[in-house]
Amino acid sequence: MKPPPSRPGRGGPNPGVWGDDRRVRIGLLGGSFNPGHAGHRHVAEVARRQLGLDQVWLLVSPGNPLKPRRGMAPFAERLDSARAIALGRRMVATDIEARLGTRYTDDTLARLRRRFPRARFVLVVGADNLSQLPRWKRWRRIARTTPIAVVPRPGETRPALHGQAARALARHRRRPGALLAGPVPAHAPWCLLPAREHPASATAIRAARGEGFV
């Protein structure tokens, strides 16, 4: 599906695909946003505040390889729903993955680093995605090269902290305040951000609308 043209909107200015040389800290919260909801905004805002990020980008996936197409809303609709929950310049909904032509997080990160060479990126995930991390393509390289901030999710946090990824990366876990402190280490750290668990769920929202599950 061809993505809609880049344009500013309620979700703030769309990051330029050609990049820039700003020295900034940027959180990346990827997902289908099917639809975007208050839980996404909560996760992004927790990360922004606790890590002192300059921006959080809501990366709307053109097609998550781990999710079936059935029940997936059109890309433009999902992008609009992410823009509707973004908070302006500090929280930006973007179609940059579609414009870069990437579907896998590792590929997206590699291209973003080339285009934004002075930016420091942090991968922001809910606890459910920490559990799923071993299913991601080249997940160990992602964990080695990119700091990961995990935000609690209802019913997911404790299992995630005892799961495969958390066990494999145990010696790289840090306190939130140390995640971006000092020079870039040989292996990126990860942390759990202390925060309340927001109950919002895209699956529940779709079910309430009678759209079924994906």
Side-chain angles (χ1 to χ4, degrees):
M1 177 184 299
K2 184 178 180 181
S6 173
R7 59 179 174 85
R10 182 176 172 180
N14 207 346
V17 72
W18 298 112
D20 57 54
D21 62 355
R22 293 176 297 156
R23 191 181 296 277
V24 289
R25 294 178 169 187
I26 297 174
L28 302 174
L29 176 59
S32 298
F33 294 90
N34 188 40
H37 54 72
H40 292 123
R41 183 165 57 197
H42 167 76
V43 168
E45 188 64 3
V46 164
R48 188 187 70 80
R49 290 182 180 276
Q50 293 197 29
L51 300 176
L53 303 176
D54 297 289
Q55 285 186 320
V56 177
W57 294 355
L58 308 181
L59 298 180
V60 183
S61 172
N64 187 329
L66 296 179
K67 292 187 177 180
R69 293 183 180 181
R70 183 175 178 272
M72 190 66 65
F75 179 79
E77 183 178 319
R78 295 186 286 111
L79 179 60
D80 282 344
S81 78
R83 284 179 171 144
I85 63 169
L87 299 176
R89 298 192 64 85
R90 289 189 176 274
M91 188 185 301
V92 179
T94 176
D95 62 355
I96 196 167
E97 274 196 305
R99 289 183 287 133
L100 289 172
T102 57
R103 295 184 67 211
Y104 294 99
T105 298
D106 184 61
D107 295 330
T108 297
L109 289 168
R111 295 197 185 189
L112 288 178
R113 289 193 188 97
R114 288 198 295 269
R115 287 163 172 76
F116 299 87
R118 300 179 72 186
R120 199 159 181 188
F121 292 106
V122 178
L123 196 61
V124 180
V125 301
D128 52 328
N129 275 317
L130 177 62
S131 295
Q132 295 174 17
L133 189 60
R135 298 178 61 198
W136 294 16
K137 187 176 182 179
R138 295 185 291 268
W139 75 274
R140 289 184 179 275
R141 184 163 74 179
I142 293 171
R144 186 177 68 252
T145 58
T146 310
I148 300 175
V150 182
V151 179
R153 290 280 294 147
E156 301 284 355
T157 307
R158 185 177 296 275
L161 293 178
H162 291 85
Q164 179 184 349
R167 293 196 307 271
L169 303 173
R171 66 191 179 97
H172 303 292
R173 184 176 176 181
R174 301 289 184 271
R175 300 185 312 275
L179 191 73
L180 297 174
V184 177
H187 191 295
W190 68 280
C191 72
L192 177 70
L193 300 177
R196 66 183 177 89
E197 297 178 340
H198 197 287
S201 159
T203 301
I205 291 171
R206 292 193 304 273
R209 293 176 177 176
E211 296 174 8
F213 294 84
V214 297

